[in-house]
Amino acid sequence: MALRNAAKVADLNTQQSSGQKSRNYSGIADSSQRLLNLEAEYTRTEQYLRNTTQTKLRLQNMESAVDTMMDIAVKMKTLLVQSLNANQAADVNLDNEAKQAMEQIASLLNTNLDGRYLFAGGRSELPAVDIDKMYAPDNYMSKSGTTITDGLTLASLGVTDGELQIVSTDIDGNSVTSTVDYDPATWTIGDLRAAINGNTTDGAIATLRGLDEHEGPRLNIENVGNGSITITEIAGGDLLDVLGMTKIPNPRPDTSYYAGDQQILSSRVDDGYNVSYGVLADDPAFQSLIQGLGIAAGTTDQNAINVALGHITDAIDNLPNVQGKIGLNIANIERVETRHQDYKVFASQAISDIEGVDVPLVVAESAQYSTALNASFIAISRASELSLANYLR
């Protein structure tokens, strides 16, 4: 009995000092499997919470970037309207404002968190956009108000003999030069385009299209890539003057500025549940904003500025959709996060209930067993004093 009491007192003292029922699973054999299951679930829940925290932080950074882009777009729209209404593009310093806005947009689309470029899709180790490719490439466009078709002869437009020199330069500074010797008497606009397009080394292409879908076609001679182009008359011709060919930024849709891929990121936030999240830097809303800024940064032409205004207005109309998409991603993450946090509290309490002890109760129980142990020791001590001589007395 004394040995059992001594073992119980030692066990209760250990529980009292550690706050746990046992230092190993054998001490709680009847609850060990449930404890193991709860601990595994707790560990998994903690990992899911780390995933949701990381994903939500990325989304919040993206949301902040898009909010700032909206502010920039609204400011630039105001400047463009002022420029068009007052016919004072130079006075509002539109080109410099557009260039500064473009630099801000590039920085926002290259938002980096923990070494990851958030708007680059799966290629997150590289910047999402290249600012040198964000500016609209050079383009020579005929004047508005003149209907241009492939069947028109150059002579009918009043063009005299001449020769064009076309110098195209890519964004790395490499340039090529070609010439087009045209004959107004026999050549049509279609022949001129074929001569330019058939020269595979000049880096230029001739097309028929308007500044936007609302106007009729004009003649465009543009850089094939994102570089610059310079066209001059070198044999006394007047094609450029007659057609009113003006050098303006190219209004064509272009996402060559985007260096990422099309992979939408996903995060494992629960058993069998992945959340796809985020947007890419080539989203149409960003593309419209970049296109409008690229045009505004390179011209004071009122027609071109009006087109730039249209692109930026489109961006303002569509950026809320991007904001809403990111906000929905955050809301989905937070719902899962709340569920995991609730379960973590439950599991923590359940584990504590299995492993832990009621310390005041253990203290009282220990006191009882200590009293019993002391009584056992007294009984043993008295029993050890018994002898035949003492008995005969």
Side-chain angles (χ1 to χ4, degrees):
M1 177 65 75
L3 292 176
R4 286 198 299 270
N5 287 340
K8 188 63 177 178
V9 169
D11 183 47
L12 290 172
N13 286 339
T14 299
Q15 291 183 21
Q16 182 180 338
S17 62
S18 66
Q20 293 184 323
K21 294 177 182 177
S22 176
R23 296 186 182 276
N24 50 56
Y25 289 111
S26 63
I28 50 172
D30 57 336
S31 302
S32 60
Q33 187 58 55
R34 182 166 179 260
L35 177 60
L36 288 170
N37 292 339
L38 283 168
E39 288 177 335
E41 287 289 340
Y42 186 89
T43 300
R44 187 157 53 245
T45 298
E46 283 193 315
Q47 181 58 57
Y48 286 144
L49 282 171
R50 284 192 289 270
N51 291 350
T52 58
T53 298
Q54 182 185 62
T55 302
K56 189 166 72 170
L57 183 59
R58 291 173 183 170
L59 285 166
Q60 288 170 339
N61 275 265
M62 297 177 82
E63 185 177 47
S64 176
V66 176
D67 289 346
T68 304
M69 288 185 222
M70 175 62 88
D71 294 338
I72 293 171
V74 171
K75 175 186 175 182
M76 287 306 304
K77 180 177 181 179
T78 300
L79 292 176
L80 287 165
V81 170
Q82 290 176 352
S83 174
L84 288 170
N85 288 346
N87 197 23
Q88 295 176 336
D91 292 343
V92 298
N93 204 19
L94 186 61
D95 55 346
N96 285 334
E97 291 286 351
K99 289 175 182 176
Q100 291 179 22
M102 189 74 91
E103 291 173 0
Q104 288 178 286
I105 296 299
S107 177
L108 291 167
L109 289 176
N110 282 333
T111 296
N112 186 300
L113 181 65
D114 296 330
R116 176 185 290 270
Y117 290 93
L118 302 182
F119 291 95
R123 296 185 61 189
S124 57
E125 76 282 1
L126 300 173
V129 301
D130 181 348
I131 189 171
D132 290 333
K133 295 181 179 179
M134 291 172 69
Y135 291 100
D138 284 346
N139 175 54
Y140 280 77
M141 178 173 279
S142 61
K143 62 187 176 184
S144 62
T146 300
T147 301
I148 301 294
T149 66
D150 276 338
L152 282 176
T153 63
L154 300 184
S156 69
L157 295 170
V159 177
T160 59
D161 286 346
E163 186 176 2
L164 295 179
Q165 182 182 75
I166 302 174
V167 180
S168 293
T169 305
D170 62 24
I171 61 173
D172 296 322
N174 303 311
S175 63
V176 293
T177 302
S178 63
T179 58
V180 177
D181 187 2
Y182 57 86
D183 180 5
T186 60
W187 279 37
T188 64
I189 292 292
D191 295 328
L192 179 64
R193 291 205 308 116
I196 295 173
N197 296 341
N199 190 334
T200 58
T201 63
D202 63 8
I205 186 172
T207 60
L208 290 182
R209 57 181 171 80
L211 270 169
D212 57 29
E213 67 277 11
H214 303 299
E215 69 168 20
R218 306 192 199 184
L219 175 64
N220 295 265
I221 305 175
E222 58 195 271
N223 187 286
V224 171
N226 278 78
S228 63
I229 185 172
T230 302
I231 305 175
T232 54
E233 298 274 8
I234 59 174
D238 58 2
L239 184 145
L240 297 180
D241 289 337
V242 170
L243 296 185
M245 300 292 289
T246 303
K247 188 175 183 179
I248 65 172
N250 199 323
R252 71 186 183 197
D254 192 358
T255 57
S256 62
Y257 63 84
Y258 181 54
D261 59 21
Q262 296 303 308
Q263 179 181 345
I264 301 298
L265 299 180
S266 65
S267 177
R268 175 62 67 88
V269 296
D270 205 347
D271 292 343
Y273 181 38
N274 290 351
V275 173
S276 297
Y277 67 93
V279 292
L280 306 177
D282 66 345
D283 186 273
F286 303 147
Q287 180 184 337
S288 295
L289 180 55
I290 289 169
Q291 201 169 347
L293 292 175
I295 295 171
T299 185
T300 57
D301 180 86
Q302 293 295 289
N303 290 327
I305 290 175
N306 195 56
V307 171
L309 176 60
H311 287 307
I312 291 178
T313 300
D314 287 343
I316 292 173
D317 291 340
N318 291 320
L319 281 172
N321 296 332
V322 178
Q323 292 170 313
K325 182 178 180 181
I326 296 174
L328 181 60
N329 289 158
I330 292 175
N332 289 336
I333 292 292
E334 287 180 338
R335 278 195 293 271
V336 177
E337 183 180 46
T338 298
R339 188 165 68 248
H340 285 320
Q341 288 171 339
D342 291 343
Y343 181 79
K344 185 179 177 182
V345 172
F346 161 77
S348 178
Q349 183 60 51
I351 291 171
S352 178
D353 290 343
I354 294 173
E355 293 183 331
V357 295
D358 185 339
V359 175
L361 183 61
V362 169
V363 170
E365 189 177 3
S366 177
Q368 292 176 356
Y369 277 95
S370 295
T371 300
L373 180 61
N374 288 334
S376 297
F377 285 153
I378 292 171
I380 291 171
S381 176
R382 287 177 178 175
S384 66
E385 294 176 356
L386 291 177
S387 66
L388 181 58
N390 289 337
Y391 176 75
L392 293 177
R393 287 179 193 173

